[in-house]
Amino acid sequence: MALNFSHAFATVLYPWIMYDLTGSVVCMALMAFINGGVLLIGMAFGGYVAEMLGIRHTALISAKIGALTSLLIAALYTADFLNPGTLLFLGLLSSILDGPATVATEVKVPEIARLSGLSKTDANSIDDMIDGLVLLTASAASAFIIAAIGSKDAAWWITICNFAAMMLLSFSLPKFRLRAAPHLLDIIVAGRRFRGAPISLPLALCASAALGFFMTLQIFLVPAALRLQGESVAWLGIFIAASATGTIMMNLHLASRQDRPTPSSTVSRAFLGLALATGLMWIEISPLTMILAGLVAGLANGWLSPAFVAILQVKAPRDIRPHVMGLSYSVVLLFLPLEYMLTGVAIGLTSFKTTCILAIFLLSLAAAVSAAWLECIEND
């Protein structure tokens, strides 16, 4: 939990620091793009790395690298010695094992449950609840902390969280027996398991594209708008808190329904909701529009939850489970780095308002195309 919180904190703060150092939205996007790309690749090969280094070693090495790099960033930034190149390098280094570490800890939940005397079902429920709580609250909390104490002091908070995560993992994560040396071909074998997945590849790709823009809103587009207009980062916390509320509301609504929405309606409504949220920000950047846009974006994101549950529940034999889980996470995050970069370049070349108009058009087009594509597949 502490490790996930520090990751969420860094995801919000480091692009913010990059803008402070350069005054460039494109450089801000580059920071988010590189970190997102490293995370995506790390997820895809996470099973291989975790099996090669060992589950415990992978998680601990990731925590130690995160603690060291966050300490260097905080110290250099406080002393005014931090430059964009150094921040980019240290940010890249800090996230290089985030993907494998996530796969390493998640894949061992059943065994940790057995060692703890919990049932597999209870352990998975507790793990999902904690992960969901962190994902829904960490980014909003970090935005409010940055606003309250400033970005330089906030950088030290990431260091504290990373050191706490390192200590907790060293005391709580058991030593697992190493299995036979992994092979890269195991990733290809794991990929074939998706043929029998409870979700079609087109739906997975469409849902991933929608989620990518939802995360781009939170991590890049809203922060960029606030920086360009000189507004408080606390407004980002308002947006994220509202989006978390919208996601929970939609999840509760879907859980109470007797019938399941069709894939075509699920994805089209998600894209249209994101377009509406972007349109609200195009009208005005204010606390009220942050609340409304965040709530609408969260409701749109909530529509996608059943699709991601299906992606992450692909069944696999024990020997290739880490590879399947890593590929599942990488499918979920597939479009995220690209959408970071495209959004940043669009703002850099045009303006925030023009980028919003372009995003609204593309999201509306994506809603129409994905609905038609998935409906054709459903009818076949």
Side-chain angles (χ1 to χ4, degrees):
M1 180 175 177
L3 192 60
N4 286 339
F5 185 85
S6 64
H7 290 166
F9 209 154
T11 299
V12 173
L13 180 61
Y14 288 166
W16 197 272
I17 293 176
M18 179 62 79
Y19 185 87
D20 282 340
L21 296 175
T22 64
S24 169
V25 175
V26 176
C27 290
M28 186 180 178
L30 182 63
M31 182 80 197
F33 168 77
I34 290 178
N35 287 342
V38 170
L39 179 63
L40 178 62
I41 296 171
M43 290 292 189
F45 292 92
Y48 176 81
V49 174
E51 291 291 331
M52 181 177 64
L53 298 178
I55 299 298
R56 178 181 169 85
H57 284 152
T58 301
L60 286 176
I61 291 171
S62 174
K64 290 174 182 177
I65 291 175
L68 178 60
T69 53
S70 62
L71 176 61
L72 288 173
I73 290 173
L76 292 172
Y77 190 40
T78 301
D80 293 325
F81 290 148
L82 187 65
N83 60 60
T86 302
L87 176 60
L88 204 60
F89 172 74
L90 291 175
L92 171 64
L93 189 62
S94 69
S95 60
I96 200 164
L97 280 181
D98 283 358
T102 300
V103 174
T105 52
E106 291 294 328
V107 80
K108 287 298 182 180
V109 167
E111 291 186 44
I112 294 173
R114 178 177 54 81
L115 294 172
S116 303
L118 293 172
S119 69
K120 180 179 177 181
T121 302
D122 289 342
N124 284 325
S125 298
I126 293 172
D127 181 66
D128 291 342
M129 181 182 67
I130 292 175
D131 286 346
L133 181 64
V134 170
L135 289 172
L136 291 173
T137 61
S139 297
S142 62
F144 282 116
I145 290 171
I146 295 168
I149 66 176
S151 55
K152 287 188 176 180
D153 288 338
W156 289 102
W157 275 60
I158 298 177
T159 304
I160 294 170
C161 289
N162 275 318
F163 273 100
M166 183 177 65
M167 297 300 295
L168 290 171
L169 284 172
S170 64
F171 287 119
S172 63
L173 196 61
K175 294 181 180 179
F176 298 101
R177 180 170 53 87
L178 286 174
R179 295 210 290 257
H183 302 282
L184 288 174
L185 287 176
D186 293 337
I187 299 175
I188 298 176
V189 174
R192 292 172 181 164
R193 302 293 303 186
F194 283 90
R195 293 178 180 176
I199 182 173
S200 67
L201 181 59
L203 176 57
L205 293 176
C206 292
S208 177
L211 177 70
F213 189 79
F214 172 73
M215 296 181 69
T216 299
L217 272 176
Q218 295 193 96
I219 297 171
F220 181 75
L221 191 59
V222 173
L226 296 176
R227 296 319 302 263
L228 290 170
Q229 299 195 21
E231 303 294 353
S232 171
V233 67
W235 292 12
L236 173 61
I238 294 172
F239 178 90
I240 295 174
S243 68
T245 302
T247 298
I248 293 172
M249 290 171 58
M250 183 55 70
N251 286 340
L252 292 174
H253 168 69
L254 293 176
S256 66
R257 288 182 55 159
Q258 298 296 324
D259 59 324
R260 289 187 177 183
T262 62
S264 57
S265 64
T266 296
V267 173
S268 62
R269 289 175 184 178
F271 278 124
L272 290 175
L274 293 171
L276 177 57
T278 306
L280 289 169
M281 291 194 300
W282 173 79
I283 295 172
E284 184 186 22
I285 298 295
S286 68
L288 178 59
T289 55
M290 289 293 98
I291 294 173
L292 294 176
L295 185 62
V296 172
L299 292 171
N301 179 57
W303 272 106
L304 301 171
S305 296
F308 295 125
V309 168
I311 294 173
L312 297 174
Q313 286 182 343
V314 177
K315 303 299 182 182
R318 182 178 177 182
D319 57 333
I320 63 168
R321 188 184 303 152
H323 307 287
V324 171
M325 182 168 288
L327 287 175
S328 297
Y329 281 121
S330 64
V331 168
V332 171
L333 300 174
L334 184 60
F335 291 93
L336 181 60
L338 180 63
E339 291 182 79
Y340 280 157
M341 199 66 237
L342 291 177
T343 304
V345 170
I347 294 176
L349 293 178
T350 58
S351 66
F352 172 74
K353 291 277 191 179
T354 304
T355 300
C356 285
I357 294 173
L358 180 61
I360 292 168
F361 170 74
L362 291 177
L363 288 167
S364 302
L365 180 63
V369 172
S370 61
W373 185 23
L374 294 172
E375 190 172 351
C376 288
I377 295 174
E378 291 167 18
N379 292 334
D380 290 342

